[in-house]
Amino acid sequence: MRRVLKAVLLTVLGLLGLVVLVAAAWFLSNVRDAEPKPWPQALTVAPALPGDDNLLIPFEAVRGSRNSLPWELKDCGAQGDCREALDKQVIAWERWKAAAADLVKTCEQLPPAADLRLRERLPERPQDPLPTYSLVLGCHTHWLMVGEQAQRRGDGAAALDALQRADAIARTVSEQTRLLIGYLVSQGMTRRQLLLVREWARRDPDRAGDWLPLVRWDEAVWKRGLARWVPTEAQFGRGVMVDLAAQTCSATAPTDGWWGRLTCPIASRTLQSEYAQQQAATYWMSVMDQARQHPLDELPAHGAVAEPGWRWFHTLPTVLWSIAQPAFDQYLERTADLALATQATALWIEVHTMPVADRPAWLKQRTRGELAARLTITPEGEWVLRPWRPQDVTELPLRWPAIRS
């Protein structure tokens, strides 16, 4: 019996020793960070202080205002008809106006489009307050609904004026933001405009040409936006990683007791901040290179692919980045889908303005590249777009009604 117990004990000790040896080998393999490299100049962002003409300043005064205006059209993008959704949206907007009077007043007092400027205060830490983009989005939607109300009562001039004011806000943010959140908000505004204009053109195809300039977007605008938010996001992520590596022990020890005090030096040393920064810089530089070389609708090829989730060397930074990269890749897919939907909407509206006999040849000539591969015209005359990211396009027009002869 004693021999059996001794054998069991030796086996257990041997296994424990093996675990300790493997853990020690892993720690020694991961304790040394990469040699420092200069941060790419292309990913370096200079701070900018907001000026007095900043679009965001008026909204700071009403930061506490109610801004959660529901958007009922988000689920009708794959349909060619948003009548019911727009009925609900108008009702929601009427209720919202009564509770957000200060925001509505601020929105209606904005300067003309030519005088709109945007200068964001760039956040340096995760806890820094974000710009008041939820209020800007509420203002944009307000003008869309003002236009919808005017269009319903047959006042084409008022509808066009309201849509132009909404469009000015969307383009100001899109062309001047340096933050990822601003870039996404500007895309959200554009998607909403596309849905509304598609509905107006369905109702009144004879006036479709009036709204054409408001759905035409030069893809260079989004490329420039990509080139602005990528450096800001990259530099922000770099600062977060540096802070995380520097503060791991000081932040953990007071709250996690003896286990935190024991393990935090290991976590701090194996986080490998320098390697993580270099890994992120490689990805972001590849994204910017692709954006310069390819049309937006080819961007879902993505940047430099992350290394597999777990590796013996550089384990923690590799795992963290392999988790983070898909989230960034989806922004490229969303941009590509928006570019395709914008091209399709502009073509669909422009076709309304052309003689019937000229339409087939003209459309064949104008529909090229990824749009030609993804746009289908059904036997009934409907237009259907197949997006890159089908699971996340509820707010995007993907179907357009048959064009009236």
Side-chain angles (χ1 to χ4, degrees):
M1 185 67 179
R2 293 177 64 182
R3 289 181 179 179
V4 173
L5 291 174
K6 184 177 180 180
V8 171
L9 180 61
L10 289 175
T11 301
V12 171
L13 290 176
L15 291 174
L16 290 175
L18 181 61
V19 170
V20 170
L21 286 175
V22 171
W26 174 83
F27 176 74
L28 293 174
S29 299
N30 283 270
V31 73
R32 185 177 179 181
D33 203 349
E35 292 295 325
K37 290 183 179 180
W39 183 252
Q41 185 63 36
L43 299 179
T44 301
V45 183
L49 296 178
D52 293 337
D53 59 349
N54 184 12
L55 167 65
L56 298 172
I57 287 180
F59 294 101
E60 288 291 343
V62 291
R63 184 181 277 270
S65 177
R66 180 179 174 183
N67 57 71
S68 56
L69 172 57
W71 181 246
E72 302 290 348
L73 275 66
K74 61 185 178 182
D75 294 324
C76 70
Q79 306 166 10
D81 187 339
C82 287
R83 275 177 288 195
E84 293 184 7
L86 265 171
D87 289 342
K88 295 178 181 178
Q89 182 64 48
V90 170
I91 293 172
W93 169 65
E94 292 285 1
R95 293 173 178 169
W96 173 83
K97 281 197 303 180
D102 290 342
L103 176 55
V104 171
K105 182 179 179 181
T106 299
C107 184
E108 294 180 346
Q109 291 177 344
L110 288 178
D115 296 330
L116 290 178
R117 301 288 183 273
L118 179 67
R119 295 184 180 90
E120 304 139 317
R121 189 180 298 277
L122 305 183
E124 299 178 358
R125 299 291 184 273
Q127 63 271 23
D128 290 348
L130 292 174
T132 52
Y133 275 124
S134 59
L135 300 178
V136 176
L137 182 60
C139 176
H140 176 268
T141 306
H142 166 69
W143 281 120
L144 292 184
M145 290 301 97
V146 170
E148 168 65 12
Q149 194 177 56
Q151 210 274 343
R152 289 188 175 203
R153 66 174 182 264
D155 190 344
L160 181 60
D161 177 71
L163 189 58
Q164 287 172 336
R165 298 195 66 163
D167 184 68
I169 296 172
R171 292 178 191 267
T172 297
V173 177
S174 178
E175 294 173 7
Q176 300 180 39
T177 183
R178 295 200 296 169
L179 297 178
L180 172 57
I181 184 175
Y183 188 72
L184 296 178
V185 167
S186 72
Q187 290 192 349
M189 295 177 185
T190 304
R191 290 194 297 268
R192 295 182 178 193
Q193 286 182 203
L194 292 178
L195 282 174
L196 190 65
V197 170
R198 184 191 68 175
E199 178 65 15
W200 288 7
R202 183 196 62 78
R203 294 181 199 160
D204 189 3
D206 292 335
R207 296 205 57 186
D210 294 346
W211 309 309
L212 184 58
L214 303 176
V215 296
R216 274 182 170 159
W217 284 73
D218 185 346
E219 78 167 26
V221 171
W222 284 321
K223 280 195 174 187
R224 290 194 296 267
L226 190 69
R228 284 193 304 272
W229 76 255
V230 163
T232 305
E233 186 69 22
Q235 186 165 287
F236 178 77
R238 180 193 186 198
V240 170
M241 182 57 64
V242 170
D243 288 350
L244 184 61
Q247 298 174 7
T248 299
C249 287
S250 60
T252 301
T255 57
D256 287 0
W258 66 271
W259 180 252
R261 289 191 291 272
L262 177 66
T263 58
C264 74
I266 298 175
S268 179
R269 296 296 297 274
T270 57
L271 194 58
Q272 297 182 311
S273 171
E274 182 62 36
Y275 181 84
Q277 294 173 52
Q278 294 176 18
Q279 193 176 34
T282 299
Y283 171 79
W284 289 122
M285 288 300 296
S286 70
V287 168
M288 294 184 70
D289 288 342
Q290 271 196 305
R292 284 191 290 265
Q293 297 170 13
H294 300 291
L296 282 177
D297 56 20
E298 293 182 12
L299 276 183
H302 301 148
V305 178
E307 297 169 1
W310 194 93
R311 296 180 62 219
W312 180 261
F313 296 100
H314 309 300
T315 303
L316 289 186
T318 300
V319 168
L320 291 174
W321 187 246
S322 65
I323 293 172
Q325 180 176 326
F328 291 121
D329 284 348
Q330 70 172 313
Y331 300 135
L332 305 183
E333 293 172 343
R334 290 178 179 180
T335 300
D337 282 336
L338 182 58
L340 290 169
T342 303
Q343 293 171 30
T345 303
L347 286 176
W348 179 76
I349 289 180
E350 196 164 357
V351 167
H352 283 81
T353 67
M354 302 191 63
V356 175
D358 297 340
R359 291 175 182 177
W362 179 86
L363 190 59
K364 184 177 180 179
Q365 182 182 14
R366 294 290 300 274
T367 309
R368 297 184 177 278
E370 201 66 40
L371 182 63
R374 293 179 174 272
L375 183 65
T376 301
I377 300 179
T378 70
E380 295 75 27
E382 280 192 321
W383 291 25
V384 181
L385 181 66
R386 178 171 55 88
W388 285 96
R389 189 175 176 80
Q391 69 273 31
D392 191 27
V393 289
T394 57
E395 221 179 50
L396 197 66
L398 298 177
R399 186 180 296 270
W400 295 261
I403 298 169
R404 190 179 69 183
S405 299

